[in-house]
Amino acid sequence: ISAYIFGDRKVEPTDSLIKIEAPKRAMDAALVPITLTMADKGNVKSVYLLIDDNPSPFAAHFTFGPAADPGELKLRVRIDAYTNVHAVVETKDGKLFQTVAFVEASGGCSAPMGVSDEEAMKGMGDMKMKFAGDAQGGGPLAATLMVRHPNFNGMQMNLTTRSVRPARYINKIIVSYGDSDVVTIDGDISIATDPVFNFSFVPAGAGPMKVVVSDTEGGHWEQSFTTTALSN
């Protein structure tokens, strides 16, 4: 997997620079929660998530901008078989370090959605954003981004027509605050339906937070959010 993603770049093991929290046995293989924690967040350039035995091992790549606070990430993924899940942190000097967790799950990539294509695509591209923290305190704020999108991966059967739904999934999300980038997310077929991402940022200067979402069929959506109304 490392050679497939990183070529001849060396990937060293670590038990401190990045940690991965994942259930040992998934309750729902199509909605497996993953938490990535980076201890030395000031030295983090990007983070990769890889799932060995999924049809496409590359799940996501998070690239942090100057407005990011890259201490923790949360997301939900599909897992197709009992497999190792790798979290790889890229430091600002270009070095790669990884940790691994084993997850027992089965059939997450081909699990049917249980609704028609039309119902699954209703409201596609709609976004919600929640914030937590003290906007006046000068510290980082926590953000939860929710995007309405079926993230069809080309493996799910339409239960009405008995045919396989063609792939159509979010492949890029760009989050910025004012003139500064927060995080760019490059995704693939392993990201769950109606994806949810949790991350933190430092709201220096004037906002708002802007989110740009693109998918593999040319879908493009943009939305801006204010951080003035915060929840605890």
Side-chain angles (χ1 to χ4, degrees):
I1 297 300
S2 295
Y4 167 70
I5 302 294
F6 303 112
D8 59 0
R9 297 176 67 187
K10 185 178 181 181
V11 183
E12 300 181 45
T14 181
D15 58 4
S16 59
L17 292 179
I18 187 166
K19 295 182 182 294
I20 181 169
E21 181 182 338
K24 292 183 178 180
R25 176 169 293 181
M27 301 255 324
D28 184 342
L31 289 169
V32 182
I34 301 289
T35 299
L36 307 177
T37 306
M38 287 67 69
D40 188 12
K41 62 184 181 180
N43 194 31
V44 175
K45 178 181 179 181
S46 73
V47 171
Y48 296 82
L49 183 66
L50 312 174
I51 304 172
D52 278 4
D53 291 321
N54 271 12
S56 175
F58 172 81
H61 180 210
F62 300 84
T63 304
F64 298 103
D69 182 71
E72 183 180 83
L73 289 168
K74 294 183 180 181
L75 70 157
R76 300 181 302 185
V77 298
R78 300 166 170 138
I79 294 182
D80 210 44
Y82 287 26
T83 187
N84 282 325
V85 178
H86 301 261
V88 181
V89 62
E90 181 183 21
T91 56
K92 290 183 177 179
D93 59 2
K95 294 181 179 179
L96 300 169
F97 301 89
Q98 75 162 330
T99 189
V100 62
F102 187 78
V103 178
E104 295 180 3
S106 181
C109 291
S110 58
M113 297 183 66
V115 297
S116 67
D117 290 4
E118 292 75 16
E119 184 68 23
M121 296 172 69
K122 188 179 295 183
M124 189 165 58
D126 290 349
M127 302 179 219
K128 294 182 180 180
M129 181 81 81
K130 294 182 179 179
F131 300 100
D134 181 4
Q136 309 302 318
L141 300 180
T144 301
L145 171 64
M146 297 158 279
V147 184
R148 174 77 172 160
H149 199 289
N151 264 7
F152 296 137
N153 61 10
M155 298 178 61
Q156 300 146 311
M157 180 179 290
N158 184 312
L159 296 181
T160 301
T161 65
R162 310 301 293 178
S163 61
V164 175
R165 292 180 168 102
R168 179 174 185 174
Y169 55 90
I170 292 171
N171 57 357
K172 188 173 285 291
I173 299 176
I174 301 172
V175 182
S176 58
Y177 185 83
D179 296 328
S180 297
D181 289 341
V182 178
V183 62
T184 297
I185 305 168
D186 293 288
D188 207 87
I189 65 170
S190 296
I191 302 300
T193 296
D194 296 331
V196 178
F197 300 97
N198 296 77
F199 55 91
S200 295
F201 69 103
V202 180
M209 175 164 280
K210 181 179 178 181
V211 182
V212 180
V213 177
S214 304
D215 74 12
T216 54
E217 290 297 309
H220 182 89
W221 303 273
E222 298 185 12
Q223 194 164 336
S224 294
F225 301 89
T226 177
T227 60
T228 54
L230 299 181
S231 58
N232 293 322

